[in-house]
Amino acid sequence: MIKTDVTQARKFLAGDEFTAAFEKASTAFEKIKNRSGKGAEWLGWRDMLADPNDAILEEIDSLANKIRGKADVFIVCGIGGSHLGARAVVEALGSFFGCEGPEIIYAGHQMSGKYLKELVSYLEQSKADGEPKSVYLNVISKSGTTLETALAFRVLRKWMNNRFPDDISDRIICTTSKEGGALNELIVEHGYKKFIIPDDVGGRFSVLTPVGLLPIAVSGVDVKTLFYEAVSTYEKLEDDPQEVLEYAATKYALYQRGKSLDVLTTFDPQLKALTGWLQQLLGESEGKEEKGMFPATASFSTDLHSIGQFIQQGTRNMMETFITVRSARKSITIEELPGNHDGLNYLSGQSFHEINTQAFYGTLKAHINGDVPCVVVSIDKLNAQHIGAFIYFFELMTAIYCYCLEVNPFNQPGVEDYKEEMYQLLGKR
């Protein structure tokens, strides 16, 4: 399952530092359980695991199967938590090249006119058999007015209205707030299918709601297994939170020691989007009141040839969190070559996964020797069960750690600052 090893990071702490941090983390967890901490009204991501809604899971699973049978392309139109969580799971559990079922494409997560123009052009291209592409669209936004998402939805909705006028109401699915907001007006007017974003769940904690579950299910992942393993992990950690408390305490104690950067790294390229989800989860949760560590991401071994030098010998203001997978789904075994022209015959009989694993251990040892405190989070294997456990584990750890910092884990007032300035420049009243 999910295992965390903080032993190499704790070597950088005095015993009393960790003990004090662990006591603070334990108190923080109690605040979460008894709903006495800042932002307690946003704990719906825990409540839905304590009391699962089987009907919603069935509805999502049923619609996803229908879409998988009809769609060539499924567009996820959203930004931040409305895009990162689903993408993290889809890429972690999917294929690098090609896929069974619809191609998942993302939109509304930036404001590139070139991207949208080329996306529409791609959608208009016929398939290899000469038939037009069948396209479904899931727009995700509580307010329906988030600028990046709303602009993309304007363009894509117009294109879909022209291409699929007879069944457009079946092809557009809106995931939004229960009441109010711009999307609810369109739902009433056009009869689009609707899923509700719970009022008490913020975007970066929403991957196990319809926000993430519908796109994940359309990709072919078993969302019931994903969700119920998160439920199981919730129950286990309620009874025995030792592992998550040790992790949160270690991270907080290192912050108290002056660490201001947490490099989230993986040696598995299919987990790159997962570290992106972690970056948002941590960054938007802890970065307030001039507190918190900046969550950077790195994909090894690629980035060992770019920022690896800095991590090894640069400013000693960082810790590192490795996300690893113990067993590989697919790999290639190295064969011995006549002449040994590249000098790599000594690797014969080993798989790429085995070689990559040793690269991880070597990097871990080197970075520790370079005075970088390192935490290792291990996943047994990449499947829906283990990713479900991973999601809840990090959601809980983030909330505990942020309460240690004495900030509200669930708001993002700083995000509104840039929006205010941007809207003024754009002439919004």
Side-chain angles (χ1 to χ4, degrees), residues 41-53:
E41 67 274 16
W42 291 95
L43 288 171
W45 52 278
R46 281 172 48 84
D47 298 338
M48 67 187 188
L49 299 179
D51 185 21
N53 188 332

Side-chain angles (χ1 to χ4, degrees), residues 110-121:
Q110 28 82 337
M111 288 187 285
S112 169
K114 181 177 185 293
Y115 181 93
L116 272 176
K117 190 173 181 66
E118 291 183 4
L119 172 56
V120 169
S121 178

Side-chain angles (χ1 to χ4, degrees), residues 183-205:
L183 287 179
N184 277 309
E185 296 177 13
L186 291 174
I187 290 166
V188 171
E189 184 177 351
H190 299 285
Y192 299 144
K193 174 68 179 175
K194 174 182 175 178
F195 285 101
I196 294 173
I197 304 173
D199 290 337
D200 55 0
V201 179
R204 57 189 174 277
F205 289 84

Side-chain angles (χ1 to χ4, degrees), residues 11-69:
K11 292 178 180 178
F12 293 80
L13 300 169
D16 58 342
E17 288 178 308
F18 177 79
T19 299
F22 188 87
E23 290 177 358
K24 192 152 190 173
S26 299
T27 300
F29 184 48
E30 290 304 312
K31 287 182 179 180
I32 293 169
K33 292 178 72 173
N34 61 32
R35 310 178 81 92
S36 62
K38 297 178 181 179
E41 67 274 16
W42 291 95
L43 288 171
W45 52 278
R46 281 172 48 84
D47 298 338
M48 67 187 188
L49 299 179
D51 185 21
N53 188 332
D54 295 333
I56 288 293
L57 290 172
E58 288 291 344
E59 186 179 1
I60 289 172
D61 194 47
S62 176
L63 179 60
N65 285 330
K66 176 183 174 183
I67 292 172
R68 283 177 59 79

